[in-house]
Amino acid sequence: SAQNYTERYRPQFHWTPAKNWMNDPNGLIYHNGQYHMYYQYNPTGDVWGNMSWGHAVSQDMIYWEEQPLALSAFNTPAGVLGEFFFSGSAVYDEFHSSHLGDSPPLVAAYTSYYPNNVTLPNNQTIRGGTQCQSIAYSNDDGLSWIEYEGNPVLALPPSPYEDQWKDFRDPYLFWYGKGAYWVMVVSLPQLHKILIYHSTDLKQWEHVSEFGPSNAVGGVWECPNLFPLPLKGNIHDIKWVLMAGINPGGPAFSGASGTQYIVGNFDGTFFKADPDSDYDPGSGNANWVDYGPDYYASLTYNGLANYERVAITWMSDWAYGATIPTSPWRSAMTVPRELTLEKIEGQTRLISIPHSNLQKLKNGPLLYANHWDSATGNISLPVSGKQLEVSISFRAGKNAKRFSLGVRTGGKTSGTLIGYDFTTQRMFVDRSSTTDDSSFSDDYKGIYYGPLQTQDGVVKLRVFLDWSSVELFGGRGESTITAQIFPSGSDTGLSLFANGEVIDINLKVEALASIWTR
Ligand code: FRU
């Protein structure tokens, strides 16, 4: 299709489908030299509905090519619109444990949502509104998928949770090498529980344990991930991270979606949280992966090297996702982020940094770099742009209160502000700009804070600016803020604003190429 990807607000280096609605990333897997990204997709509309799995492939998670639908709600064993394909994950069944297909297949697990009463081809009858876990396999490297005839593989939640049949979803699969079995992690969203299952063939599953509630419980728990990571500095100190979406109950505003994580141990059967990561449910404390409004349903790749973890996340919020002012597509994914674990101030923290492959997008000369010994007030910069990486570091001088970088600005009163508040030791993104198109939702305008300690007095911020988003990485990546922005005007200016004195400022602005014009 003739698609130039230059519509107003079209992200230039974030994945978007050419048209229509998208939400969660699904089935992220690296296989045979290709990164697959499937995603919740409505093939016929720009709001949620007809949930199918869209598909894109990439050699590097930066440049993507859209593929035919992988799983379509218009073509299901249960009949047209008898089944929606909700979120899930994928693995490579290297030893052919499933005996599905003629050769070792890719196997996806997903939630089958049946809107109406149906009788499946295997004569099982299902009540309308049920969520079950199902599998499908691919023998052509992830291009086309065949649903297993014995689906669903989990028709109901286990006893005593059978009454949760309407809320039982988002299976996350991985191979547990030590035990030589598959693990599936599924959410009971309303109960804030994660169920853990075992299988040796991906078809028969045994419920072995559960975890939760813990940490934030102000909304449903969805899209769980469970993965191992070594603690930085000691490759033998392996921790396990449970990461899940919560909606609402996220940190950005009342009613926001969010993503939290809990660090602990997993012995193949039980996940047990570490005391420093295990806040009382509802206590108001939680570990947030990202503090912004637009970071939800995060999913990590299967099939990467040992302990390599890369996440891609839906860059929107259920509070307003259906009304954001973009057309003919709706929603984007974040850049891929590398995840690691590090002890900071005595606490084990999940660290997110932009994937190093993003370096590929810096194909031109450096736009601008400067150093200031001291600054107060307003400095407008002789550089502009709307798809940029900006790195900035600085320290507090006399009476330092706040320091910010304005982007998409024509002056001090417009544009998005990205900066640091010395008085509360928090970084922030402020998108309450009067020049933004915010009419689509009362929840859009706001300022979002993420805690950030200085490192030897230095504040380090890294910003990825695209045509309709800002991703802010603070310090080592222990705090991030992701926010969509919708600047209505054509201003592309950059400025610095120092409230009090800020010293030792280093600034670097680099242009990023568009992924649509390779
Ligand atoms: C999360 C979610 C999942 C579900 C999917 C449906 O955003 O609600 O729990 O599987 O979206 O599209």
Side-chain angles (χ1 to χ4, degrees), residues 39-92:
Y39 42 84
Q40 289 290 284
Y41 189 61
N42 181 351
T44 60
D46 65 0
V47 292
W48 189 91
N50 309 320
M51 293 326 287
S52 302
W53 278 30
H55 185 201
V57 296
S58 173
Q59 315 288 333
D60 54 13
M61 295 178 286
I62 307 297
Y63 292 92
W64 296 95
E65 271 172 50
E66 198 160 345
Q67 304 295 312
L69 274 188
L71 293 163
S72 169
F74 292 98
N75 177 21
T76 73
V80 171
L81 295 183
E83 178 180 7
F84 282 10
F85 297 91
F86 277 11
S87 287
S89 61
V91 290
Y92 174 46

Side-chain angles (χ1 to χ4, degrees), residues 21 23-24 26 40 48 51 85-88 111 169-170 189 221-223 247 296-297 314 318:
W21 169 267
N23 55 290
D24 317 355
N26 295 150
Q40 289 290 284
W48 189 91
M51 293 326 287
F85 297 91
F86 277 11
S87 287
T111 298
R169 59 182 175 268
D170 306 338
W221 278 17
E222 302 179 317
C223 302
N247 175 51
Y296 196 62
W314 183 44
W318 281 115

Side-chain angles (χ1 to χ4, degrees), residues 1 9-11 20 51 59 84 90 100 102 104 145 177 195 200 225 228 278 296 303 311 324 356 466 489 498 508:
S1 67
Y9 303 137
R10 174 70 84 171
N20 292 335
M51 293 326 287
Q59 315 288 333
F84 282 10
L100 293 169
D102 299 330
W145 292 81
L195 303 178
T200 52
N225 288 230
D278 194 15
Y296 196 62
I324 58 169
S356 57
D466 202 342
K508 194 162 80 173

Side-chain angles (χ1 to χ4, degrees), residues 27 98 123 127 162 169 184 282 293 304 328 348 352 376 401 478:
S98 65
N123 283 328
R127 283 173 284 191
E162 296 94 333
R169 59 182 175 268
M184 187 197 280
L304 302 182
T348 310
S352 312
T376 52
K401 290 190 186 62
E478 67 269 36

